[in-house]
Structures are given as C-alpha cells and as structure tokens.
Amino acid sequence: MVNAAGSIRRAARLTGCSDSTLRRRLQKEEKAQKELAGVAAQVQMIGSVKEAAEAGGISPGTVYKWRKQEQEGRPFSKRQQSRMARLQRAAAKTQQDKAGPAKKDPVVAKLRKAVLGDAQARQRAIKPLRAARISQTGARFQSSGQVSVISTDGKKDTRERRLDLEMSGGAMRGGMQQWLAGGSSKSVLEKLSDGFTENYLAMETHADAAGARWEFDSFKSLTISRNTADAPKWGDA
C-alpha cells in the first residue's frame, strides 16, 4: 500500500499519521515476510508438500522442483516468481491464522481506505497492461469488506463478506476501466458491483438471487491476481 501511495511521506500524508509510524509498521511486516521468504519455509508453515500444492494451485511435483531449485541456489525466473505468489499468500494466511485474530490496526485501516480511494495510488497498484489483461482474461478476486445484497422487494442484507472467486474478463472489465481512468473510488465500486450482479449474484440461483442487486460498500482488503489455470470462471458463458 505504501508503494502504491508513492512513498512513505505521501502515504503518511494520506492517512494523517507520521512517517515514523508507517516505518515501524513496514519493519514489522518485513520481519514477518522474511520468515516466509523461501519455498521450504512456506511448505513447512502450510504443513506438507501436498497441502502447499493445493493451496498454491500447483502440482506437488512443482513444489518439489522449486524446493530443490532453492536448495541449490539457482535463481527463479519471473514466470516462476509470478506463479509462486499464490503459495506465498497461502503461507502468510496460515501464519496469520496460527497467530490468532489480529488486533485491528487503525493506521493500516486508514492507509487501506486512503489507497483504495486515491486514483493515483490505484493506478500505481495495477499497471495498464495488467489491467488490460484482467479485462480480457479475468482474475482471481479475493476481498473482505462490507457488501449489501438488495432483493427485488428492496430488503437490504448488509454484512462483511469474504470472497475468493475466479472471475471472467467480462465481470472485471467495467471496474478495471474505471480503475485505469482514474475514476473515483465510488465509481470503481459501482462498476465492480455491476459485474458481480450480472456475473456472480445472478448465477447464484440457489440463493434465489434473480433480479437482486450486489453492492460493494467498502473493502477492508482487496487482492486481484492471475486466475488459477483451467479453473472455471464466474461470468463465462
């Protein structure tokens, strides 16, 4: 989030806190990341090679290959590093789960809200070429935050929802276009809401969702990454 803001100084200005406060948060985060910097450490954190492969959306053979490559000191290619990102996130989530519920950090909450609401920061977070790819091929959409589902009779069910979904390009296109155009956070949320209404909620027939409206009210966290290979996507015909 600090990288997206542009610098520690600008991030501090967006949140109204001091530079030193953000530096302390970054140091704490860097320490946690170093503990899970290697493939072997990630596998150990998750539990087993099989579990790590499932969490990372790869085969056990690939995990063994990466671990051996790491032990031999051979560098990873950019493509390998991109594929390893999901395994790294899974290990970090396991680490967090083992540590137990974390206390809400008001500084982090302010920074997240500021970055998601700042057009310049959003454009830094997702580059034009990546946004164009997402608009074409879709993305894995992971989020937590307030979501309202509004039924056809006007009843509003608002709650915090966690999502981990494979979305099509059509479902993501409107939101990505607003994101790149520097639209306000409200316009980005509205376009993402349109995509989820048309391509996710409308297909959830078991929830009797026909004609209902899906609305993202706010995000506590948001990760948009590559789709899992060969996984079915919401919004595909």
Side-chain angles (χ1 to χ4, degrees):
M1 289 188 290
V2 170
N3 287 339
S7 66
I8 288 179
R9 179 167 293 181
R10 186 167 190 272
R13 191 168 68 249
L14 286 172
T15 57
C17 66
S18 67
D19 293 9
S20 59
T21 296
L22 283 184
R23 284 196 180 93
R24 285 196 296 271
R25 298 301 194 283
L26 285 172
Q27 289 168 355
K28 183 178 179 181
E29 183 178 272
E30 286 167 1
K31 182 181 178 182
Q33 288 175 342
K34 284 179 181 178
E35 292 175 359
L36 295 177
V39 175
Q42 292 158 15
V43 171
Q44 185 176 5
M45 176 59 68
I46 293 171
S48 69
V49 168
K50 182 180 179 181
E51 290 170 322
E54 290 175 355
I58 49 180
S59 69
T62 297
V63 176
Y64 281 119
K65 178 182 175 182
W66 287 349
R67 195 166 64 177
K68 182 180 179 182
Q69 187 173 338
E70 180 178 84
Q71 290 169 346
E72 294 174 351
R74 291 183 286 123
F76 293 103
S77 67
K78 287 185 178 180
R79 182 173 181 274
Q80 285 177 315
Q81 291 172 15
S82 176
R83 293 183 65 201
M84 292 165 79
R86 185 172 172 180
L87 177 60
Q88 292 165 347
R89 287 195 297 272
K93 183 178 183 304
T94 302
Q95 183 186 53
Q96 185 176 351
D97 290 344
K98 287 182 178 179
K103 292 182 179 179
K104 289 186 178 180
D105 188 327
V107 172
V108 174
K110 279 184 180 180
L111 181 57
R112 183 177 291 114
K113 184 177 180 180
V115 168
L116 290 174
D118 183 73
Q120 183 179 333
R122 291 200 310 270
Q123 288 171 322
R124 277 201 184 97
I126 296 185
K127 302 299 182 185
L129 284 176
R130 185 176 171 218
R133 176 183 60 76
I134 291 170
S135 294
Q136 292 298 317
T137 63
R140 186 180 182 198
F141 187 97
Q142 297 167 288
S143 72
S144 66
Q146 289 292 113
V147 174
S148 295
V149 176
I150 305 169
S151 62
T152 51
D153 60 5
K155 290 182 180 179
K156 197 173 192 179
D157 177 11
T158 301
R159 67 180 79 171
E160 184 173 318
R161 300 174 193 266
R162 292 181 178 273
L163 299 174
D164 188 348
L165 303 167
E166 307 279 348
M167 303 300 292
S168 70
M172 298 296 295
R173 191 165 298 129
M176 288 298 96
Q177 288 172 345
Q178 280 296 311
W179 190 297
L180 277 180
S184 66
S185 57
K186 181 180 179 182
S187 64
V188 173
L189 288 173
E190 285 176 349
K191 290 298 182 182
L192 284 174
S193 297
D194 290 343
F196 273 70
T197 297
E198 296 168 11
N199 298 285
Y200 175 61
L201 186 61
M203 296 170 69
E204 289 281 77
T205 53
H206 63 82
D208 193 25
R213 167 78 182 163
W214 178 281
E215 289 188 358
F216 287 108
D217 298 318
S218 63
F219 288 118
K220 289 177 63 179
S221 64
L222 174 61
T223 301
I224 299 174
S225 56
R226 284 185 180 274
N227 273 319
T228 305
D230 302 322
K233 303 176 185 64
W234 289 100
D236 276 349

